[in-house]
Amino acid sequence: MNKLAMFGALALSVLSLSAVAEDAKPIRLGIEAGYPPFSMKTADGKLTGFDVDIGDALCEQMKVKCTWVEQEFDGLIPALKVKKIDAILSSMTITDDRKKNVDFTIKYYHTPARFVMKEGSEVKDPLTELKGKKVGVLRASTHDRFATEVLVPAGINLVRYGSQQEANLDMVAGRLDAMLADSVNLDDGFLKTDAGKGFAFVGPTYEDAKYFGGGAGIAVRKGDKALADKFNAAISEIRANGTYKKVQDKYFAFDVYGH
């Protein structure tokens, strides 16, 4: 073998090893861990919830190692951009506004938003009946954007929180008049708990695509089509092979995937 051929073979082997090393790198999944039943922690500090189980199932389907990285919700996209994480799997709704900063996979679930207030409250038109009231939302969420653009101009006072759990605590303490969030999260993570006794859903459901997008998807860095495609294929595969339903049935008594 002449020197040129040897050099070429060596270069190819180095490239191959680099590709293997790249593939062997774990995918770092960003998550905000205070959003039951989608993400939460067990008593011993272990991450659990629908998002976590779906993420683990997707990684198993893709035959890749994944690690979870906790971050407050409003810090997830910045962390993705500076490459502290590789993807966001944290009930992040697919919206046109977010698409300016990240790329999304297809949805992996879709549920509507609702208000929660003290039991016995009757609200038919939140825009008029909640004027002057304090409404809590998760900071940087789709509910925050909707509230900022629709509720605030109607005279409703918006209070933003780093986690839904913080909003729940203030609701119980009487520092809020209402909360607006994902209906399933509010139901499972608040109303069905001891803390949520004495509270109930009020008003209509909200599914306007302009604000609430097309369901929750996995966010990847702009242009990372390869990773998005892997996730898309895996989402379709676990939907088809029964794994998705098995995870879903662990948390919900209905089809959380939506229409």
Side-chain angles (χ1 to χ4, degrees):
M1 185 183 287
N2 62 37
K3 287 183 180 179
L4 189 60
M6 282 178 66
F7 180 78
L10 184 61
L12 279 172
S13 67
V14 168
L15 284 170
S16 299
L17 285 169
S18 298
V20 168
E22 193 64 33
D23 285 343
K25 272 183 165 180
I27 297 172
R28 297 162 301 170
L29 300 174
I31 192 167
E32 192 275 306
Y35 200 66
F38 299 101
S39 58
M40 56 239 178
K41 284 184 171 181
T42 60
D44 60 357
K46 186 183 175 186
L47 280 170
T48 186
F50 178 77
D51 281 349
V52 177
D53 286 358
I54 286 291
D56 289 344
L58 291 173
C59 293
E60 189 176 333
Q61 183 66 44
M62 294 187 293
K63 294 180 172 55
V64 295
K65 184 180 177 183
C66 292
T67 58
W68 291 96
V69 180
E70 285 184 64
Q71 179 83 48
E72 282 204 348
F73 192 81
D74 59 349
L76 285 168
I77 288 178
L80 182 66
K81 285 177 142 185
V82 299
K83 300 187 177 182
K84 286 185 178 177
I85 55 177
D86 305 302
I88 299 167
L89 206 166
S90 191
S91 292
M92 185 168 280
T93 306
I94 303 163
T95 66
D96 288 338
D97 195 47
R98 285 186 177 135
K99 283 179 184 175
K100 294 172 187 172
N101 294 294
V102 299
D103 287 340
F104 278 101
T105 63
I106 56 176
K107 73 172 184 179
Y108 66 96
Y109 82 84
H110 193 185
T111 51
R114 288 198 76 179
F115 283 102
V116 156
M117 292 183 74
K118 280 186 178 175
E119 207 165 31
S121 304
E122 286 191 25
V123 176
K124 291 181 180 176
D125 181 8
L127 292 186
T128 57
E129 295 170 67
L130 294 182
K131 187 174 181 180
K133 304 286 187 186
K134 286 184 179 178
V135 175
V137 294
L138 177 64
R139 188 186 303 119
S141 66
T142 51
H143 311 100
D144 183 356
R145 184 177 170 228
F146 170 77
T148 300
E149 295 186 14
V150 177
L151 304 185
V152 171
I156 294 166
N157 299 316
L158 195 60
V159 185
R160 298 175 178 88
Y161 293 88
S163 76
Q164 188 59 44
Q165 295 293 74
E166 290 175 45
N168 295 349
L169 289 170
D170 268 9
M171 189 78 200
V172 172
R175 288 187 281 268
L176 289 175
D177 299 296
M179 295 190 294
L180 178 69
D182 178 87
S183 56
V184 176
N185 170 249
L186 285 175
D187 190 33
D188 277 61
F190 183 61
L191 295 179
K192 288 179 179 174
T193 69
D194 288 340
K197 285 176 182 173
F199 296 90
F201 285 123
V202 298
T205 58
Y206 292 92
E207 298 185 81
D208 184 348
K210 177 183 176 183
Y211 296 104
F212 301 104
I218 301 166
V220 299
R221 272 185 291 280
K222 271 285 184 189
D224 195 350
K225 187 175 182 300
L227 186 55
D229 286 348
K230 280 183 184 177
F231 275 121
N232 284 338
I235 291 169
S236 297
E237 284 157 3
I238 67 168
R239 290 270 299 154
N241 66 22
T243 303
Y244 184 94
K245 188 175 187 308
K246 191 182 292 183
V247 173
Q248 170 190 277
D249 291 352
K250 182 177 168 183
Y251 296 96
F252 312 110
F254 58 92
D255 179 12
V256 75
Y257 190 77
H259 303 297

